[in-house]
Amino acid sequence: PPAGAPRRAVARAAAPQKAAPQWFSALIPAGGGGGGAFGAAGRQEAGVWSLHLFPEASGALCLDGSPGGVYVQRGSGEDAGRWVVHLQGGGWCVNEDECALRAGTDLGSSSAWSRRPLFELTGMVDSGSGGIMSGDATVNPKFSSWSKAWLMYCDGASFAGDAEEASSGVDPSGERKTLYFRGRRHLGAMMEVLRGEGLDSATRDVLLTGSSAGGLAVLLHADHVRSLVAKVAPAALFKALSDSGVFPWVASQRGPLRFKQHYKNVAIMQRVRLDDSCTNAESEPWRCFLSETALPYVDATLFLFAWTYDTWQIANLAYLPCVGHFDACTDGELGAIEELGRRVHDAIKQRLLSRPDTGAFVTACRGHSGTTTDRLWQSAVIRHDVHLRDVVWRWVVARPPNLTGAAFRGGRKALALHAHLDCGGERGWTCNPDCPAIQAPKFDNGCDLYEFSPGNVQCLAPEDMPHP
């Protein structure tokens, strides 16, 4: 196949090689797009997204050396001083050549950001001006009028890289590209932008959120961001929400602990900088890049959203082709899927036991991330009447002592006051009748695995493919 084309990971039926879907991050060049500049830097009116590229002196660079940046939308009314700050996700690049590939996309370069509106950028795996980021009060009644920031993800390592010297890798065309691993510096640069956009006057709430790789970033950097917020807005109450950020390392069909080695590669290659509380305690500091290692060291108040049957993790961590054909899974594959779900549950339960101020919502449905989409934010329900957006809101506005305490559900004491874990058991993905409202139809109708690069496997249905 041509350089950069996806490789069919598992062939369940005879089918021709298909091109990558046009939206897929790893294969879309950063150029293109049309129209005039979108949201020029400078303080903007409420409801308008404005792009702020970081100054050269900050050292906050994308993989290709272009400046990183953050989109800002000012809130309205009395809620303008309350903030949701989102760390964008979108996977990782696990070696230099994959980073060179990524450097030619909107997930590795800012060169095209100003030419297209934020939520029309290519490669936006974690995207959508919806969910908790929506300005529509019917979709997002509690957070719609808050000020919002969207930190663009262009470093490939969950905003953790901190290498002073440049590196290089070869892209699919054979061109050697210079690479910069500077993601950690984007956090400080973002805070300086937000200071000028009104964060310095925040006196109530600052909520840090992130999905997928951004959800991992929340776990890795919540305490660091909290310290930055305290310097800018000392009166604000800081909390952090991680969406699909718990990634257990498990054995896979591609070899024992395959993705654990990927995480190690990223951590060492990018010289990641993580909080001292973890790196000083662990004999191998790179392990603090693993969510299960990092989570116990997070001191900030957390909310954890997770899918028991996380389809990205089933495809990438366990590398199970039946992710798009659950009914065709072998007993061994089903066992691996259940083990993955148990590992996620165990990590969250341990956090709840040690920190009862933690909030949690774990759905038994199939999917990955989604708190920035209307579909999930409006319709994620467990036990018929426990809604995700309501649980998050109650946790956000709760103040001690109402963050902790006993709660009883179904006659049993809950792990924490703001924690809600869905049903389970054999074929647990069928136990919640409300799942179809939030699941992508392809996980009911069927999809097949395609490998785009070592760190990116996707389950694609025919409708995901471009039509000739």
Side-chain angles (χ1 to χ4, degrees):
R7 182 164 57 87
R8 184 72 170 272
V10 176
R12 284 192 170 268
Q17 178 72 47
K18 296 179 179 179
Q22 199 163 20
W23 46 260
F24 193 81
S25 63
L27 301 177
I28 302 298
F38 175 75
R43 204 162 208 172
Q44 299 291 310
E45 61 186 83
V48 176
W49 283 103
S50 58
L51 171 63
H52 301 256
L53 295 177
F54 300 140
E56 182 179 355
S58 70
L61 304 177
C62 296
L63 288 170
D64 72 338
S66 59
V70 59
Y71 281 86
V72 181
Q73 183 188 76
R74 295 302 308 281
S76 59
E78 63 180 17
D79 283 339
R82 308 170 88 177
W83 285 80
V84 180
V85 179
H86 187 76
L87 307 182
Q88 183 190 343
W92 307 271
C93 49
V94 302
N95 57 50
E96 287 86 349
D97 291 350
E98 190 174 7
C99 290
L101 169 66
R102 191 182 182 98
T105 77
D106 287 328
L107 287 171
S109 171
S110 65
S111 61
W113 293 353
S114 64
R115 296 200 292 274
R116 293 192 295 279
L118 168 58
F119 300 109
E120 292 181 9
L121 292 171
T122 58
M124 293 283 286
V125 178
D126 167 25
S127 66
S129 56
I132 197 170
M133 303 300 284
S134 175
D136 184 345
T138 62
V139 172
N140 190 28
K142 303 299 186 181
F143 298 95
S144 59
S145 57
W146 286 35
S147 294
K148 301 178 180 72
W150 185 287
L151 182 60
M152 295 295 288
Y153 183 37
C154 64
D155 73 288
S158 292
F159 305 98
D162 196 34
E164 187 62 40
E165 296 181 357
S167 185
S168 68
V170 178
D171 72 9
S173 71
E175 179 183 354
R176 180 164 292 278
K177 290 187 174 182
T178 302
L179 301 170
Y180 297 86
F181 301 139
R182 304 277 184 83
R184 169 84 170 195
R185 304 180 196 191
H186 294 215
L187 301 171
M190 172 186 70
M191 206 55 58
E192 288 306 307
V193 170
L194 299 188
R195 182 197 299 271
E197 284 294 305
L199 182 65
D200 54 347
S201 62
T203 58
R204 297 176 69 183
D205 302 281
V206 174
L207 177 63
L208 179 71
T209 72
S211 299
S212 192
L216 174 61
V218 168
L219 303 182
L220 300 181
H221 307 303
D223 291 344
H224 175 54
V225 175
R226 181 181 62 175
S227 70
L228 296 175
V229 169
K231 294 176 182 177
V232 175
L237 179 65
F238 177 88
K239 294 182 182 180
L241 184 157
S242 172
D243 169 3
S244 304
V246 177
F247 293 89
W249 43 273
V250 294
S252 82
Q253 288 195 348
R254 293 290 294 274
L257 306 180
R258 164 181 168 267
F259 227 89
K260 181 182 177 183
Q261 185 62 45
H262 283 342
Y263 286 125
K264 183 176 182 179
N265 292 347
V266 174
I268 293 174
M269 173 183 67
Q270 293 229 13
R271 300 178 190 173
V272 298
R273 183 180 174 191
L274 306 168
D275 280 355
D276 292 342
S277 60
C278 182
T279 56
N280 290 341
E282 293 293 323
S283 58
E284 297 181 89
W286 73 264
R287 290 178 175 271
C288 295
F289 193 67
L290 299 171
S291 59
E292 288 177 296
T293 303
L295 182 55
Y297 294 98
V298 181
D299 185 60
T301 305
L302 286 177
F303 190 100
L304 302 169
F305 171 75
W307 305 74
T308 301
Y309 302 99
D310 188 304
T311 51
W312 189 95
Q313 295 184 13
I314 294 169
N316 285 269
L317 303 189
Y319 204 83
L320 296 174
C322 72
V323 62
H325 306 268
F326 264 43
D327 291 338
C329 288
T330 66
D331 289 344
E333 288 172 329
L334 289 175
I337 290 171
E338 295 292 354
E339 173 63 18
L340 189 59
R342 279 194 295 271
R343 292 286 294 273
V344 172
H345 273 248
D346 287 348
I348 293 175
K349 287 178 180 178
Q350 287 300 314
R351 174 71 185 191
L352 294 171
L353 289 169
S354 64
R355 288 287 301 270
D357 60 346
T358 301
F361 190 101
V362 182
T363 174
C365 306
R366 290 173 287 173
H368 179 68
S369 68
T371 53
T372 60
T373 65
D374 291 349
R375 185 184 74 252
L376 179 74
W377 193 241
Q378 288 184 288
S379 303
V381 180
I382 59 180
R383 293 188 297 277
H384 302 292
D385 60 356
V386 179
H387 293 260
L388 170 63
R389 69 182 185 184
D390 296 336
V391 173
V392 171
W393 174 250
R394 288 193 294 268
W395 169 82
V396 166
V397 299
R399 302 294 192 263
N402 296 322
L403 263 175
T404 59
F408 292 86
R409 303 189 188 97
R412 298 177 61 187
K413 185 176 180 181
L415 288 171
L417 184 61
H418 298 278
H420 297 265
L421 278 62
D422 208 349
C423 51
E426 185 176 357
R427 295 177 61 84
W429 62 90
T430 65
C431 71
N432 183 337
D434 295 304
C435 284
I438 63 173
Q439 289 178 169
K442 66 183 178 183
F443 294 113
D444 290 316
N445 302 331
C447 56
D448 295 297
L449 292 192
Y450 286 76
E451 182 173 351
F452 290 81
S453 60
N456 271 319
V457 177
Q458 295 289 330
C459 198
L460 304 181
E463 59 268 23
D464 296 325
M465 298 295 187
H467 297 290

